Every structure is written in structure tokens, then in C-alpha cells.
Amino acid sequence: MRFTKLLTIVLVGVGLLGMFGTVLADDLSGQLEIFSWWAGDEGPALQALIDIYNAQHPGVNLINATVTGGSGVNAKAVLKTRMLGGNPPDSFQVHAGQELIGTWVKADRMEDLTSLFQQEGWTDVFPAGLIKLLSTDAGIWSVPVNIHRSNVMWYISANLVQWGVQAPNTWADFLAIAPQLQAQGIIPLALATNWTANHLWESVALGVLGPEKWQDLWDGTLSFTSPEAVAVWDMFGKILQYTNDDAASLSWQQATDMVVNGKAAFNVMGDWAAGYMSTTLGLTPGVDYAWSASAGTQGVFMMLSDSFGLPKGAPDRDNAIAWLEILGSKAGSDAFNPLKGSISARTDSDLSLYNAYSQSAAHDWQNDIVAGSLAHGVVANEGFMNDFATVMEMFLTSRDPQQAANACDAIARQNGIGE
Amino acid sequence: MTTKITWARVLLYATLITVAAVYVMPIYMTVITALKNPADINLDTAWQVPPHLNWGSFSQAYDKLGPNIMNSVILAVTATILSSMLGSLNGYVFSKWQFKGNDIVFTLVLFGMFIPYQIILIPLFQTLRRIHMYGGLPGLILAHVVYGLPITTLIFRNFYAQIPSSLTESAQIDGAGFFKLYLSVIFPLSIPGFVVTFIWQFTQIWNEFLWGITLTKYSANPITVGLAQLAGGQAVSWNLPMAGSIIAAIPVLLIYILMGRYFIRGLLAGSVKG
Amino acid sequence: MRSPARTESANRFSREGALAAPSLFSIQYRTHNALKEVKVRLTRDRIIAFSVLLPSLILIAVFVYGFIGQTVYISLTDWGKGAALAVNPQMHLIGFDNYKELFTSFLHGRFRQDLINAFFYTVSLVLGSLALGLFLAILLDREPRGEGIFRTIFLYPMSLSFIVTGTIWRWLLAPEGGVNVLPSFIGLPAGQFRWISSREQILTFDWQSIPAITAIVVSLVLIFLAVRTWRKGTHKRALIVAFPALLLILWAVFGQRMVPQMLPIPERHGFNLATIGVSIAAIWQFSGYTMALYLAGLRGVPVGLHEAARLDGATEIQYYMRVAFPILKPITLSAVIILAHISLKMFALIFAMAGPDNAATDHPAVLMYLTTFRGNKFALGASIAVILFLLVALFIIPYLISSYREQRRRAS
């Protein structure tokens, strides 16, 4: 009797130990192919995430398939070729918002992540405005890895003092001080190749329209040929007069260089410029360079977000879901964002890990109104953005606001904006 | 024979040196940029020699590009040899063997040279997947061989058209069949033709980017893809891609330096005639 | 006894010999058999030849013509309006609507300018490479010292990838830091041309006037031919050629109102100065190839010819113009083919140099890539690709026809 009891205890104990061990031991194996366009300076940030994944799931062979070049067009070409050919990667990088929804969700190629969001508690930790931009009626579609801000204006305070101007609060203010700067041989606003013009346009539009009317444009409530929308192009044309005329051949870094070198006064660029100035140029945020919300957009955070989704038919679905869990986790985002120069989408991130700029950005993220970027795929689908680049080129040559507004209206209709 | 030092001669050398300087200018720019530290690279100092030479760019670039170089070597050598051999056989058939519609068929083959590669990207991908050749070097080799057929066939057909038919006829009378004729008469004379196709195809295949990136998975990426990775990202430190392009260009450059003379001889030997 | 061989040849060439030779039947039988044997071998070899060729033909049929067919089919659908990337995308045949849209919708002005750009790119690349290549070949033909070094320097740009070339030249042509800065090193003011940032356009014309321009160009060609025919003496034929030329000119000048408007509003197009920068990079890369071709050609001129010309008192210039250039004509044709093939590949160069959205330097191949892979408009992209292909075909087919005719002539 005592022996049987002992045996039972031993067997149960071994059984429990076995179960416990099984739970501890990772049962994920096979491979995981993640597809992104991060390389070069952005590589270390992605590697940090990969390291976390490899530590948690040593049985999985993680393949980091990056495709760089061509401002992301090459990555899109490869991704779309693979998806059309029935060979999806396990997870791929995509800008959160309409770039994902208009292309992949509409084509029914992505899995709904609502249950994952609820399981991980992300619905409480991400701002509501962000989740709204990530979703449709049918679900939530991607996990944001980071948040970048688009509407930032960069300048060197000491230079502004030297030239006798101040950072403008509205675009009208900018137009007032620009001639003064030009008279001193300074370029008031540095601009680079075509997409930076799109980037500038959305800041101008946000400044002229305000966040509600900006969102109305994309909901279809406000027409592109309405007086307000035409006024955006009008203002944009006026601002362009004060930019450098060799813009088309410059990279965005070279435009930032112009500000750093004192050749230009202001530059409107996303906050990856902070990463460039801090890391590559070795400048100290707040000391060597300064920033403010671009004119007319104080209190509004125009966001863009790199995110990963789960394609239907992913060969290693469980491994992919584990990847998504890490991306949205506190540990993941605290490892990734300081290296990338962006901020976390989570409102509970450890701000001590970030530099002065990122801390100020995170503060704004938690308090400002969230608006979505156009140039970086949040509010409009890819068809519209592709055509918009052509409209912008048209405008850069003709400088005709009405023509540009009409063209925008036509392409919005063609691409189903607001439907 | 000593040439007199005339005004004409001086002018000749002056012109040649000036033009050569213009040609070398881009290489100068590449080399000095590769040797700069990332923070020193900007427009203002673009032409200036860097104060400290950053040889680290090359070792860094080589570390990242190493596996890609191997892939490119395998790809370029295999595909070049295959497409040249096939081109030689095809050119032999087109030039020496008359059959009905010979010229029309040749024209149709030649036309294949003029498709922009973007058109066939998606169907090519889908076809390679269907025959299970997507992702590795064999699929990429197949693509390059197929699309290299028109030009190698053209080069060899023009080349073999120069071989007098008396040579082939006498061999035929002696009893040589198709293959014997090729091996005993045509092939030994083909060396200049092969030089031209080798150089042309090797260059084209080594430098091709779009298929390299679409049709291969990570482990099989050729060097052009590796270069793009160096130049990717939002904040590029330009010394790395510049160093990388120098490294990538070295094998082909060597071929040109060593075989340049034979290239010209090959062109001379008949592939030039339209 | 006469040897059979001699009798056989005698048989072949004289009927008298045939009548007179003994055992005629057996000899003829042997000859007939020998010839038949050769003929059988020849036929069998021809079959072998064709079957050696067959795999290549099949591969080309599938990978070239099959894919072109698929692209043409796609261009006739509406793939791209709606869920383009679904597993089974919805595609409805809509006929030529995509093509109509490309040529008449005001949203596609960029495409129309791209066509003009493509024309100028091809012309600049071909003319520039031929001219520079010929010039360098003539220089090297004078046998300077260090010819090998010069030759390698001129040839090496060919070894670079277009992406590398594009990146380097983008730096070189940056208006504030590249070649514009060079004059300042010798005390001259810096260059002001904006290179690929330039938005200037010369030779502008309205798209609506293209039929008129085409008519005038065609009539000029006809007049040229008419003058040549007249000089040859066949006056009647010259008049027949000149007559339609006159009609075309009259129509171009007076009859434009009869032509329906292609576009709702006038649209200016022209030669974008920004393309000059790209063309320079392309010519830099490929003039080495044409130089090698021409050098080979010049070296191929029979040695005695140059000496003979010199002895006859011809100057060097006369030698080149009258003797060498005519010999180089077939080389020019061959080079044009290769360069046309390359001008299609300029996509990578333009992409690397000017980026995806620089309208001034744009090319239909770039637009096709963006439309397809960035805008998800697969059918529209396919139509652009088909138009591009047809343009190249238009350019190549006359060459192929003339080469085909020359083959025929040589064979007969």
C-alpha cells in the first residue's frame, strides 16, 4: 500500500515535471521569413528585434529577407511578385494604414489580428486614434513597430538668432520672414527630391486645413476641388518660391545638411532627420539643433508607422504570430525604437532610453491629436499615392493650384478615396 | 619607326589625355568618397581628397558582400558559358544550314532582345515557381541563358557568316556530318566569337539587378542585390556603397583589362558586320 | 581501262563522253548512288541542325512570345481597379480602353512626355555613342603610345552596372557640388545649369500638332528621295514621289481643323534639358563599345588601302571620309541594334540617377514599373509596356527587313 502510494506520488510528480518542462521548452521550430526594406543604418534596430526572437525561440531559423533601394519600390515589386505567385513571406513590413488596407486587406490577403490585440492587451496600450487608422470594420490588420512623426520643422537656433528671425508659428509667418532670409543669401526652406515635396505638402495641408478637415479629405467628406483644398495648393505654391531650385537632385539628407551648414533656415522632414543628425552627424538634440511642429500644426501629431502583418497562407503561421507578439511588446519596442530613432506606439514605453528629441516626441504622441500621413501611406491607398506623385510633378512645373486640385479630385475618384 | 613630333601629334595626345581625364573623373569621385568617413561626405567637399583615408570602408563592404560575390561568380560563369555554347550552336545552324524560313525564324529570335525586362517579371516568376526553380541560382541562370540567346546567336551568326563556305563544303564532301563539321571546322575558329560573347554576357549578367532581387531568396542573392542593401536605408553612409561598387566592379574590370585586346580582335573577326 | 573517276567526271560534263563510255549504266548508277548518299546525309544533317535549334526556339517561344502574349492580354483587361492583389484577381476584358486613356486622359500627360523623352534618349544615346566612339577610334587608329591604356580607360565604363553609374553621375551632376564646381578650380565662375533638377524645356510643341509634325517630317523624307531619284535621271518617278509630299505639306499647313482633337486642352511637350545629364552618363558608359567596334573596323581596312590612298595624294581627312567610312557602314548598323537594346535598359540608370519621380527625366519603362508595382495598376502598366515594345519594334523592324533582304541578296 505504501509502495503504491509512493509510486503514485513519483509518477504524478514526474508527470507534472514533464508537463511543466514541456511548457517551458519552446515548441516552435522550422523557419520564419520576415520581409522588410530596412538596411544600412536601420539594420541594427531590426537586428535587436531578431535577437529577442532568437533568444525566445531558438528552434526557429529566422531569415531576414530585406530588399532595399528605389525608395521602397523594389521591395514592393518583389513582395507583389511573390504574393501574386503564391509565395508569401511569413510576415512583411508595410506602412500601417491605407497602404496596407487598400492593397492587401481589400484583396483579402491578410488575417485579422483583433484577437491578438486583445490577448496582448494592445487595445489599452496603443492610442485609440492609432488603432482607428489600423482598422477597418472587419478588424485590425497590422502590429505597429514604431511611430514616426511627419510634421516636424528643423532649424539651428543659433543661426536663426543670427539672421534675426524666429521659427514661424503659421505659414503666413513663414512667408513674412522668408524675403528677409533671402535677402541675406539664405534659402528659407530646404527641399529635396520629389517625395520630400509630397512630405512638405502634407504639412502645409495640415497647417492650412487643420486635423478635422484633413481627415475629411480622406473620408470623402471634403472635396479636393473645394476652396479650402485649392487654398492648400495656393499656399504651397507660395512656399515653393522660397525653396532651393536644385531640389530634384538632392537626397533628403543633403537638404538637412543645408540647414546644418547654415545654407538654409528650415527643413520640414520626418523625425528620421533627428536620427541622421544625432547618429551620423554626431549632433546633440536640443543643443546643436532644434525643432518645432511644422507651421500651423502645433498640437497635432501627423504619424506614420512601420508595421508587420500576417498574410493568409503564411508558411510558418505560428512562428509569425510569435514574431508579431514580440513586435508589439514592451521589451521589443524598447529595444527597437531607441536604435531606430523613432518612438514606440505604446503609451507605456520607458522614456529614459530615448534622447531629448524622442522624449519630446513621445510626450506629444500621448497628448496631441493624431493625424495620418499621406506621403507615407496612412490615409490613402497606393494607387492614389502613385498618381499623386505625378500630380505633384505637374504642379512643380506648372504651379497652377486649380489644375492640381482638379487633378487630385480626378485621381481620388479613380482610386476610390472615401468610398 | 619614330613618328615626328608634329603639331598634329601633340594635339592628338592632348585630346586623348583630356578625354581620358573626363572618363576617369567618375572613378576618382567614387574612390575618394569610398575613402571618406561617413560624417565627411557632403556636397561641399565632394571633390576634395579626404584628410584621413578610411580603408575600413573596403573591409566593411567586403564583409557584407562576400557571400554575394560567390553567388555572382557562379551565376555569371555558368550562365555565360551556357548561353555562349548555345549561341554558338544556334549561330552555326542559322549561318550554315539553310532550311525554309531560316531568316524569318532568326528575325523572330532576334526580336527577343528587345523586351524590357519589366514586362516579363511577373510571368517569369510564376513560370519559375511552377517548375520549382524559384529562389535559387539555377532559376536565375535559366532566365539569363534564355534571354541571352538572341544576342549570342546574333554575334555567332554574324561571325560564322564570315567563314567561307568552301571550308565547310570541302569538309562535307569528306564526309563530315553536322556535329563533325562543327567540331572540326567551326569550333576551332570560334575563339574570337567566344571572347566577344563571354565579355558581353559576363558583364550583362554580373550587373543585372531586377531579376537578381526578384527571383532569388536571400542566400542566393547576387552582388548587385548586396550593393543595393549597402545603399539602402534612410541614412546612407555613402562610403560603403562606393567601396562596394568598386569591389563589385573589380572582376569585370579585370576581364576588360586582360581581354580587352582580344575583345577588339574578336569584334574585328567578323561579329561586327551587320 | 579508263579509271572510273575520270569516266565519272567525263560523264558529268560531256554528253558525248556519256554516249561513248563503256558500262555506262553501272557508272551512272554508282554516281547516282554517291550523290543520293550525300543528299540523304545532308537531309539527315538538316534535321539534326533543326533539332539542335529547336530547344532554343521553344524557350524563346515560351519566355518571349508567350510572356508578351500574356502581357498584351493583361493590357486589355481592367486588372488594377479593385482588389488587384487577390489570390484570384478580378480581370474583365475592356478592350483598348487602357490605351485610349493613356493617350487622351489629362492625367497621363506624364506618359505622353515620357514618349517624347524616350525618343530623345534613344536618339542621343545612338548618335552620341556613335559619334564619340568613332572619334575615339580614329584617334586610337593613329597608334599613339600607350594605346592599350587609353583603350582600357575608354572601355572600362561598360563594366559597371547601370545602378553604379547612375549613383556616381548623380553625384557628379549635383548642381551645387559636382561638375558645376570644376570651373571654379581654374578661376572661372561656377556652372549654373541645374542638370537633372532642371525643369527647362526647349523645342516645345503642342501635343495636338503631332499629326502635322509627322506629316512634315514624312514629306521632307519624300522630297529628299524625290531629289535623289531626279538626279538619277528617272524624272517621272521623282514626280510621283514628290506629289504626296506636296499634299502632306498642304494638309499640315491648312488642314489641321479637319483632325479631331486628341486632348481637351492644349498640352505642351518638348525636349527636357534634364535628360541631357542622363544621356551624358549613358554615352559615357557605352561609347567605349562603339569605339571598340569602329577600331576593329578601321583595323580591318586592308593595309594597302591606307598606303595607296596616301600615295595618291589624299589627305588624312579625305582618306577617312572617302575610304574608311563607307567600310564602316555595316558596323554602324550593328552598333545601332545594340544601342537600341541598351536604351531600353536605361531604366536602371534613370532610376538610380533621378529617382522614381523626376518627371523631367522620366521614361516609359520607369513609369511602367511604378504604375505596376507601386500603384497596383497592372493592366495600365501592361499597356505602357506594350506601347514601349511596339516603339522598339518600329525602330528595329526596318533594320531587320533590310538585313533580311541583304541576306537574301548574299545567298543568291
Side-chain angles (χ1 to χ4, degrees):
Chain A
M1 194 57 183
R2 222 187 291 168
F3 175 70
T4 325
K5 214 169 168 187
L6 193 58
L7 189 60
T8 318
I9 295 176
V10 168
L11 282 175
V12 168
V14 169
L16 278 174
L17 212 61
M19 259 178 18
F20 191 50
T22 319
V23 164
L24 268 187
D26 191 47
D27 51 359
L28 286 187
S29 65
Q31 70 175 30
L32 173 69
E33 190 189 15
I34 54 171
F35 185 92
S36 74
W37 59 79
W38 280 322
D41 282 13
E42 297 157 323
L46 181 59
Q47 193 58 44
L49 286 172
I50 294 177
D51 290 339
I52 295 181
Y53 189 90
N54 283 335
Q56 285 190 8
H57 306 284
V60 176
N61 175 25
L62 195 153
I63 302 175
N64 178 9
T66 56
V67 177
T68 53
S71 315
V73 189
N74 290 333
K76 290 185 182 165
V78 178
L79 180 63
K80 289 171 189 179
T81 306
R82 284 183 60 168
M83 295 287 273
L84 282 174
N87 181 244
D90 291 311
S91 185
F92 57 88
Q93 175 194 2
V94 62
H95 280 135
Q98 286 301 318
E99 186 173 304
L100 167 64
I101 295 175
T103 308
W104 301 109
V105 176
K106 214 164 145 201
D108 196 26
R109 299 303 294 260
M110 308 297 293
E111 288 198 36
D112 176 20
L113 300 174
T114 314
S115 53
L116 183 65
F117 268 63
Q118 283 164 348
Q119 173 195 314
E120 299 289 311
W122 292 335
T123 36
D124 304 316
V125 159
F126 295 147
L130 170 64
I131 299 206
K132 187 145 165 269
L133 291 169
L134 294 175
S135 331
T136 62
D137 295 335
I140 312 178
W141 302 103
S142 62
V143 179
V145 189
N146 63 6
I147 298 288
H148 270 298
R149 187 177 191 175
S150 157
N151 59 326
V152 192
M153 185 178 260
W154 308 92
Y155 51 89
I156 312 286
S157 315
N159 289 349
L160 292 192
V161 167
Q162 195 188 339
W163 299 323
V165 297
Q166 280 184 321
N169 281 334
T170 66
W171 286 111
D173 292 342
F174 172 78
L175 292 176
I177 61 174
Q180 207 181 327
L181 288 165
Q182 263 191 341
Q184 300 179 54
I186 308 296
I187 295 179
L189 186 64
L191 190 64
T193 181
N194 181 287
W195 71 263
T196 65
N198 297 346
H199 187 104
L200 176 64
W201 186 87
E202 66 182 10
S203 271
V204 173
L206 188 62
V208 169
L209 295 173
E212 291 89 20
K213 290 231 179 86
W214 171 251
Q215 190 56 41
D216 286 345
L217 266 183
W218 309 109
D219 291 337
T221 329
L222 182 64
S223 158
F224 280 93
T225 46
S226 64
E228 298 100 316
V230 180
V232 171
W233 287 104
D234 199 48
M235 172 64 83
F236 186 63
K238 292 195 184 123
I239 294 170
L240 279 181
Q241 291 174 332
Y242 297 110
T243 58
N244 44 318
D245 62 357
D246 63 342
S249 58
L250 296 180
S251 67
W252 70 265
Q253 294 98 327
Q254 287 169 324
T256 310
D257 287 340
M258 286 172 75
V259 173
V260 171
N261 296 340
K263 289 231 189 92
F266 302 101
N267 177 228
V268 171
M269 184 44 60
D271 54 19
W272 44 87
Y276 172 63
M277 286 191 279
S278 304
T279 315
T280 313
L281 298 184
L283 304 175
T284 315
V287 174
D288 298 320
Y289 64 90
W291 60 88
S292 62
S294 74
T297 65
Q298 293 79 2
V300 186
F301 192 109
M302 185 175 242
M303 66 144 265
L304 60 122
S305 164
D306 295 305
S307 63
F308 278 79
L310 182 64
K312 284 191 179 169
D316 310 277
R317 189 171 175 276
D318 293 331
N319 297 346
I321 293 180
W323 169 251
L324 294 177
E325 284 168 5
I326 291 179
L327 295 182
S329 70
K330 187 159 186 310
S333 85
D334 283 346
F336 178 83
N337 286 295
L339 290 173
K340 175 90 170 51
S342 48
I343 60 173
S344 167
R346 298 175 67 106
T347 45
D348 64 352
S349 47
D350 181 358
L351 290 183
S352 66
L353 298 169
Y354 296 91
N355 68 11
Y357 168 75
S358 300
Q359 286 177 356
S360 118
H363 177 262
D364 287 345
W365 173 244
Q366 292 175 20
N367 297 310
D368 285 356
I369 305 174
V370 173
S373 159
L374 164 68
H376 304 279
V378 184
V379 289
N381 61 38
E382 289 186 309
F384 180 86
M385 290 196 323
N386 187 51
D387 292 339
F388 187 79
T390 302
V391 173
M392 176 58 73
E393 276 293 301
M394 220 192 322
F395 182 77
L396 289 175
T397 313
S398 72
R399 304 289 170 100
D400 181 345
Q402 190 62 51
Q403 185 197 44
N406 292 342
C408 266
D409 187 58
I411 64 177
R413 252 179 282 146
Q414 245 195 14
N415 289 293
I417 299 293
E419 274 166 27
Chain B
M1 179 184 97
T2 49
T3 38
K4 288 189 293 181
I5 305 178
T6 60
W7 264 121
R9 212 67 189 161
V10 169
L11 193 61
L12 175 68
Y13 280 103
T15 317
L16 274 174
I17 293 179
T18 316
V19 178
V22 173
Y23 268 75
V24 173
M25 186 173 64
I27 279 288
Y28 168 74
M29 179 73 103
T30 313
V31 171
I32 58 169
T33 309
L35 290 173
K36 286 184 178 161
N37 284 311
D40 297 328
I41 302 176
N42 54 45
L43 268 183
D44 294 327
T45 56
W47 289 101
Q48 293 167 11
V49 183
H52 311 285
L53 299 181
N54 176 15
W55 293 102
S57 312
F58 287 97
S59 52
Q60 267 183 304
Y62 184 74
D63 281 338
K64 302 203 182 180
L65 290 179
N68 297 323
I69 295 180
M70 196 70 251
N71 287 336
S72 278
V73 168
I74 299 176
L75 165 70
V77 169
T78 316
T80 302
I81 293 180
L82 281 176
S83 62
S84 301
M85 290 293 336
L86 285 174
S88 169
L89 284 170
N90 292 344
Y92 166 52
V93 171
F94 277 119
S95 60
K96 294 298 170 207
W97 292 92
Q98 297 308 315
F99 52 86
K100 251 218 189 118
N102 188 331
D103 294 312
I104 297 186
V105 172
F106 177 68
T107 308
L108 288 177
V109 168
L110 193 60
F111 224 57
M113 254 171 82
F114 298 102
I115 322 190
Y117 285 177
Q118 300 86 20
I119 294 192
I120 40 99
L121 189 62
I122 295 183
L124 181 61
F125 176 87
Q126 291 172 324
T127 307
L128 282 181
R129 250 183 80 70
R130 232 171 275 153
I131 58 177
H132 302 293
M133 285 187 89
Y134 158 70
L137 285 178
L140 194 53
I141 292 176
L142 175 65
H144 279 295
V145 169
V146 172
Y147 290 99
L149 282 176
I151 182 137
T152 51
T153 307
L154 171 71
I155 291 177
F156 275 111
R157 195 208 69 153
N158 290 348
F159 180 71
Y160 291 147
Q162 298 296 307
I163 295 181
S165 37
S166 51
L167 272 174
T168 49
E169 267 168 30
S170 62
Q172 274 177 324
I173 291 175
D174 282 342
F178 179 81
F179 286 109
K180 189 121 183 289
L181 184 62
Y182 180 72
L183 289 170
S184 57
V185 179
I186 305 283
F187 188 72
L189 295 174
S190 311
I191 306 295
F194 273 107
V195 171
V196 175
T197 48
F198 270 19
I199 289 188
W200 182 267
Q201 282 294 87
F202 192 89
T203 313
Q204 296 296 307
I205 297 173
W206 184 267
N207 287 329
E208 197 280 325
F209 173 69
L210 191 62
W211 288 350
I213 208 164
T214 319
L215 302 177
T216 58
K217 295 218 172 136
Y218 194 64
S219 53
N221 279 346
I223 199 171
T224 42
V225 176
L227 262 186
Q229 311 292 56
L230 282 183
Q234 281 177 343
V236 186
S237 24
W238 283 103
N239 59 323
L240 279 186
M242 293 291 182
S245 3
I246 293 178
I247 295 178
I250 286 181
V252 193
L253 189 55
L254 275 179
I255 291 185
Y256 275 68
I257 293 179
L258 294 174
M259 293 176 82
R261 194 184 330 142
Y262 300 104
F263 185 52
I264 306 239
R265 229 180 263 172
L267 292 177
L268 171 65
S271 15
V272 298
K273 298 285 169 63
Chain C
M1 207 41 188
R2 283 188 224 158
S3 68
R6 208 166 69 92
T7 319
E8 278 175 324
S9 58
N11 273 339
R12 261 195 285 179
F13 294 115
S14 77
R15 224 200 270 145
E16 294 79 13
L19 288 173
S23 48
L24 169 65
F25 185 71
S26 66
I27 292 169
Q28 273 195 325
Y29 187 70
R30 252 181 286 150
T31 317
H32 179 71
N33 264 359
L35 285 174
K36 202 164 112 183
E37 212 178 282
V38 173
K39 226 172 160 188
V40 163
R41 206 180 348 120
L42 221 57
T43 320
R44 194 190 58 195
D45 281 340
R46 279 221 189 98
I47 296 178
I48 297 181
F50 192 73
S51 31
V52 163
L53 193 59
L54 201 58
S56 299
L57 294 184
I58 295 179
L59 283 174
I60 299 246
V62 170
F63 282 80
V64 172
Y65 292 98
F67 290 172
I68 292 179
Q70 197 172 339
T71 306
V72 171
Y73 175 73
I74 291 176
S75 75
L76 299 174
T77 66
D78 66 350
W79 188 14
K81 306 249 162 99
L85 283 139
V87 175
N88 290 313
Q90 293 268 347
M91 288 193 250
H92 310 111
L93 275 175
I94 56 170
F96 291 100
D97 279 359
N98 284 324
Y99 296 96
K100 223 172 22 178
E101 200 188 310
L102 282 174
F103 282 102
T104 59
S105 159
F106 86 103
L107 283 174
H108 295 289
R110 177 174 170 178
F111 169 71
R112 293 185 284 271
Q113 179 60 38
D114 286 355
L115 290 178
I116 311 285
N117 282 353
F119 170 74
F120 282 112
Y121 274 132
T122 309
V123 167
S124 328
L125 177 64
V126 171
L127 291 181
S129 300
L130 290 180
L132 189 55
L134 184 58
F135 177 65
L136 293 175
I138 293 178
L139 287 182
L140 287 183
D141 191 39
R142 318 299 298 150
E143 283 167 29
R145 284 232 214 104
E147 182 200 319
I149 300 178
F150 283 119
R151 195 185 51 224
T152 309
I153 290 181
F154 297 140
L155 206 51
Y156 94 83
M158 241 181 92
S159 69
L160 299 171
S161 148
F162 261 142
I163 299 185
V164 172
T165 311
T167 312
I168 298 177
W169 275 94
R170 203 236 247 135
W171 278 62
L172 281 176
L173 294 181
E176 294 294 317
V179 293
N180 280 353
V181 166
L182 285 181
S184 64
F185 288 154
I186 52 174
L188 295 171
Q192 286 303 313
F193 183 47
R194 301 280 106 188
W195 295 106
I196 51 181
S197 313
S198 163
R199 291 189 182 271
E200 287 170 49
Q201 209 178 48
I202 61 173
L203 301 178
T204 57
F205 58 92
D206 180 12
W207 183 260
Q208 186 55 27
S209 53
I210 281 192
I213 295 180
T214 320
I216 293 185
V217 168
V218 170
S219 57
L220 284 176
V221 171
L222 285 174
I223 290 179
F224 173 71
L225 286 173
V227 167
R228 234 185 27 178
T229 330
W230 184 278
R231 283 237 193 95
K232 281 205 198 133
T234 48
H235 299 290
K236 203 160 141 202
R237 204 186 283 179
L239 285 172
I240 295 179
V241 172
F243 184 61
L246 194 62
L247 278 182
L248 279 173
I249 294 184
L250 282 174
W251 177 77
V253 174
F254 297 114
Q256 283 315 298
R257 234 159 292 176
M258 300 192 296
V259 181
Q261 290 279 351
M262 287 197 284
L263 296 172
I265 48 173
E267 193 177 80
R268 298 220 70 76
H269 290 288
F271 173 49
N272 284 333
L273 291 185
T275 61
I276 293 180
V278 179
S279 298
I280 290 181
I283 293 174
W284 174 79
Q285 185 147 5
F286 278 97
S287 44
Y289 176 72
T290 45
M291 175 207 75
L293 278 181
Y294 280 128
L295 193 58
L298 287 173
R299 293 276 157 81
V301 171
V303 176
L305 228 49
H306 200 159
E307 279 302 314
R310 213 178 284 157
L311 285 174
D312 278 347
T315 64
E316 287 306 294
I317 297 181
Q318 278 174 329
Y319 160 68
Y320 279 112
M321 299 269 318
R322 296 279 172 81
V323 179
F325 283 11
I327 297 187
L328 297 178
K329 218 174 89 165
I331 295 176
T332 308
L333 286 179
S334 168
V336 166
I337 283 264
I338 304 281
L339 290 172
H341 164 64
I342 294 295
S343 83
L344 277 181
K345 295 206 174 142
M346 269 172 81
F347 161 79
L349 179 66
I350 299 174
F351 208 63
M353 255 185 108
D357 279 307
N358 188 334
T361 55
D362 206 24
H363 186 278
V366 179
L367 188 62
M368 181 259 167
Y369 191 59
L370 295 174
T371 308
T372 307
F373 291 110
R374 193 175 67 172
N376 301 332
K377 304 208 165 107
F378 293 93
L380 198 62
S383 339
I384 299 176
V386 171
I387 294 176
L388 191 58
F389 183 68
L390 288 177
L391 279 181
V392 174
L394 213 68
F395 192 65
I396 293 304
I397 282 183
Y399 165 81
L400 289 175
I401 292 180
S402 75
S403 148
Y404 176 72
R405 283 219 191 105
E406 197 174 311
Q407 285 295 98
R408 275 295 161 93
R409 221 181 348 108
R410 259 196 236 149
S412 65

